[in-house]
Structures are given as C-alpha cells and as structure tokens.
Amino acid sequence: MSRRIIYCYFPDGVNSLFIDGKRYTRAQFERAKAREKRRDKQGRFLSV
C-alpha cells in the first residue's frame, strides 16, 4: 500500500525515515514534501 508523503510527518529525534521503499533524511523529506504539494489530481506536477 502506498503512503503519500504529504500526510506523513518527521518525528523529532530521528535521523532518517523510511517511506514507500525510500529512506529520507530531514532535508530530503522536506524537499519531497514540498514537491508533493505541487501535484494535481492525476499525479502530474503543476507549473508554478
């Protein structure tokens, strides 16, 4: 089952997080979450 990263949070005191088969550091997680906010209903990226 796929978990959308936009609904997850990065807990305090943790160095990395494993979601959907990918390990994220805090900086990578924040960048990926910002990218997910730009997706439309079909999963394509919107131009900003």
Side-chain angles (χ1 to χ4, degrees), residues 13-27:
V14 177
N15 291 333
S16 63
L17 194 65
F18 191 80
I19 300 174
D20 254 354
K22 183 165 171 44
R23 187 172 305 278
Y24 295 97
T25 62
R26 186 172 296 275

Side-chain angles (χ1 to χ4, degrees), residues 4-6 32-46:
R4 293 201 49 199
I5 196 169
I6 198 165
K33 197 168 186 176
R35 283 192 309 265
E36 281 295 316
K37 289 180 182 179
R38 290 187 9 212
R39 288 188 186 266
D40 64 0
K41 290 180 182 177
Q42 288 81 29
R44 297 185 182 117
F45 284 107
L46 298 171

